[in-house]
Amino acid sequence: DAGITQSPRHKVTETGTPVTLRCHQTENHRYMYWYRQDPGHGLRLIHYSYGVKDTDKGEVSDGYSVSRSKTEDFLLTLESATSSQTSVYFCAMSTSGSTGELFFGEGSRLTVL
Amino acid sequence: EDQVTQSPEALRLQEGESSSLNCSYTVSGLRGLFWYRQDPGKGPEFLFTLYSAGEEKEKERLKATLTKKESFLHITAPKPEDSATYLCAVQGLRYSTLTFGKGTMLLVSP
């Protein structure tokens, strides 16, 4: 039992199309995060959520939006995908906002052609 | 702005050859420093939290230490299964979110 799962795990899409990545957790954790990981960069925070309908921007939020209508689900949407958004996206969760102990999903590899 | 620099970028060791990975950081007040392990194609896995200078944490062949400017991840007598990318992250007092370094890719050959 993974506790946190991401879908889809792989996706290829074309520039200009909308894309939604889903993160689902079964641990009832309050905090959830979306990161992207690219060669030559560390993990960079896109958006995070500290409760249902409570979200905030991270370091690289331009071009992304998020929604959290239920504790267990955190959605990341690219309204109009661009090639610069080709990346591996990781969802993570934590028990509180003051801890750096995050539990990560397996990642979603997105390719924008 | 919080910053994390990890070195070396890549490290190749023979099985049993001990070494250390470095994580240098600048942060406006340190809340915590964190080490993660990431296997290829997987998400990072939490290893350690360090809160104050002088603190040490151990797990099997790994030991993490912390000073006011850097952290070391010491690997004693590594095995091939220790091969992974090791990530360092800091959490400052000003912002609750983590700032990650780019990681050190460790390869341990039998």
Side-chain angles (χ1 to χ4, degrees):
Chain A
D1 56 346
I4 182 168
T5 55
Q6 296 182 226
S7 60
R9 294 291 313 282
H10 301 272
K11 185 172 182 66
V12 180
T13 191
E14 295 189 351
T15 298
T17 60
V19 176
T20 295
L21 305 180
R22 180 182 184 236
C23 180
H24 179 77
Q25 57 128 331
T26 58
E27 307 298 322
N28 202 36
H29 285 339
R30 180 180 172 191
Y31 288 79
M32 297 184 76
Y33 310 81
W34 276 108
Y35 286 88
R36 61 177 290 174
Q37 187 173 44
D38 305 286
H41 295 273
L43 282 161
R44 292 181 291 174
L45 182 64
I46 304 171
H47 282 280
Y48 65 102
S49 169
Y50 45 96
V52 173
K53 298 187 179 180
D54 291 324
T55 65
D56 206 347
K57 296 179 180 180
E59 176 188 358
V60 290
S61 59
D62 287 348
Y64 302 95
S65 63
V66 290
S67 65
R68 192 164 178 205
S69 58
K70 298 184 291 185
T71 298
E72 57 265 36
D73 290 325
F74 192 32
L75 304 181
L76 177 70
T77 297
L78 292 65
E79 299 290 347
S80 178
T82 67
S83 58
S84 65
Q85 294 175 312
T86 292
S87 186
V88 180
Y89 292 86
F90 287 99
C91 177
M93 60 183 180
S94 67
T95 55
S96 78
S98 60
T99 178
E101 183 177 346
L102 305 183
F103 300 92
F104 284 85
E106 297 279 89
S108 295
R109 180 175 294 275
L110 175 66
T111 302
V112 184
L113 302 176
Chain B
E1 181 181 335
D2 300 342
Q3 293 188 337
V4 177
T5 302
Q6 293 188 245
S7 62
E9 291 184 9
L11 180 63
R12 185 163 189 161
L13 300 174
Q14 290 295 120
E15 184 171 3
E17 179 187 3
S18 302
S19 187
S20 298
L21 312 183
N22 178 263
C23 171
S24 298
Y25 64 91
T26 56
V27 64
S28 54
L30 181 69
R31 182 177 298 187
L33 184 141
F34 309 89
W35 283 98
Y36 285 81
R37 169 190 172 129
Q38 185 175 22
D39 293 304
K42 303 288 187 181
E45 178 184 352
F46 171 77
L47 291 173
F48 302 111
T49 305
L50 300 167
Y51 292 108
S52 57
E55 189 175 1
E56 299 183 353
K57 293 279 180 70
E58 284 190 67
K59 181 179 181 180
E60 296 181 357
R61 294 175 293 282
L62 301 177
K63 183 169 79 172
T65 62
L66 180 64
T67 72
K68 289 186 177 180
K69 294 185 177 181
E70 57 192 350
S71 176
F72 292 93
L73 185 65
H74 307 277
I75 304 175
T76 302
K79 297 182 177 182
E81 53 262 43
D82 295 322
S83 298
T85 295
Y86 291 86
L87 305 175
C88 174
V90 296
Q91 184 182 41
L93 294 176
R94 184 173 181 183
Y95 302 106
S96 62
T97 55
L98 301 186
T99 299
F100 281 86
K102 297 177 183 179
T104 293
M105 184 183 301
L106 174 67
L107 177 62
V108 182
S109 302

